[in-house]
Amino acid sequence: MSNDTASENVEDEEIVIDIDEPEMTIEDLPGVGPATAEKLLEAGFEELLAIAVMSPSELAEQAELGEGVSAKIIAGAKKLANIGGFISGTALLDRRREVQKLTSGCSALDELLGGGFETQAIVEVFGEFGSGKTQIALQLAVNTLLPVSKGGFDGEVFYIDTEDTFRPERIAQMAEAVGMDPQDALDRIHVARAYNSAHQTLLVDEIKRASKNYDVKLIIVDSLTSHFRSEYIGRGMLATRQQKLNRHLKELKQLSDIQNALILVTNQVMSKPDAMWGDPTRAIGGHIVAHASTFRLYLRKSKGGRRIARLIDSPNLPEGEAVFTVTAEGLQD
Ligand code: GTP
Ligand code: MG
């Protein structure tokens, strides 16, 4: 049909426009001079989107501005942040075509995820202590180094460790099990210990810088929430905590899109029955983390050292379960 080529060109143009659009910053906001910009930055507002979703009173309090000024800034941010901008289905499909899938080494788990752990996505692995979250993280770190023909990404790994549970010996063990030189594996997995939530957030900027020299294909945050949970305690701190977590996740998601990389975050669930965190399918961080995650895997321990992973509210895959075990060699069916 003669229409086809014409419509293809239109789609191409739309993609180009999308990429070339200059990124607006808070300095572009009407009425924001250097002093106000400084206040906003100091309060942690680096992105228009973060401002656009605030209420005037929240912004006034957090950035120490008047409410009237805050309302104007928010209105400006909503316009500039291009909330709800449309992009063509074709452009979306093109991006989706770049998606790569990483094997976990366990076929049941890969199948549950529609063929493996996807790039351009945040995967949240949550479950109680000892359920296998860190073991999955370590295994995916090793597998990311594998050639694409073996289900890997042939890329580099950046691992943010908040609980000091990264074990190089375990990486070496898993690397040997897949026929990789342990030294080579350890060279390509870059680890940073995050001392608090602010440091954890800064490390993402560090990864952004590193991505100029390294082919970053997997970013792990183990655990995403532990620092935030211990630093922001009680109802009064909840809004601030959620806002900071939200921004952290947005930055991670942005990196995953730019790098065509996979983001794996772990999250613990409290066994203590509590109004906010009692439901096991509702991990720490509540709906902010749940909403930001593309895939959510809920892990639980079962008989004989088995682990059960359940896929929860995925955009395009049926809910289901996969059984795996953690052995000396790593994850197995
Ligand atoms: P928290 O971080 O405490 O919330 O737990 P987690 O979900 O990260 O648990 P983790 O991944 O550390 O799983 C711990 C379990 O993995 C242990 O109880 C062991 O069953 C298993 N495991 C850990 N290391 C090894 C190992 O070197 N060999 C074997 N065979 N199993 C291991
Ligand atoms: Mg752990």
Side-chain angles (χ1 to χ4, degrees), residues 125-138 163 165 170 173-174 222-223 266-269 299 301 305 307 325-330:
V125 176
F126 67 106
E128 60 173 4
F129 70 94
S131 56
K133 302 181 291 293
T134 299
Q135 294 304 309
I136 288 188
L138 295 169
E163 300 184 311
T165 52
R170 184 69 172 134
Q173 201 178 19
M174 288 173 162
D222 183 20
S223 127
T266 70
N267 198 357
Q268 229 198 33
V269 289
L299 299 189
K301 294 182 241 185
R307 302 279 186 277
T325 56
V326 182
T327 71
E329 285 78 34

Side-chain angles (χ1 to χ4, degrees), residues 7-19 87-100 118-120 256-258 260:
S7 64
E8 260 172 47
N9 288 341
V10 170
E11 311 289 11
D12 282 344
E13 266 167 39
E14 277 177 29
I15 299 166
V16 173
I17 289 163
D18 212 50
I19 292 165
I87 98 165
S88 71
T90 314
L92 266 184
L93 196 60
D94 277 352
R95 279 203 65 65
R96 290 289 306 160
R97 280 203 190 99
E98 290 170 20
V99 166
Q100 293 172 275
E118 287 189 8
T119 57
Q120 297 175 32
S256 84
D257 288 337
I258 296 169
N260 193 22

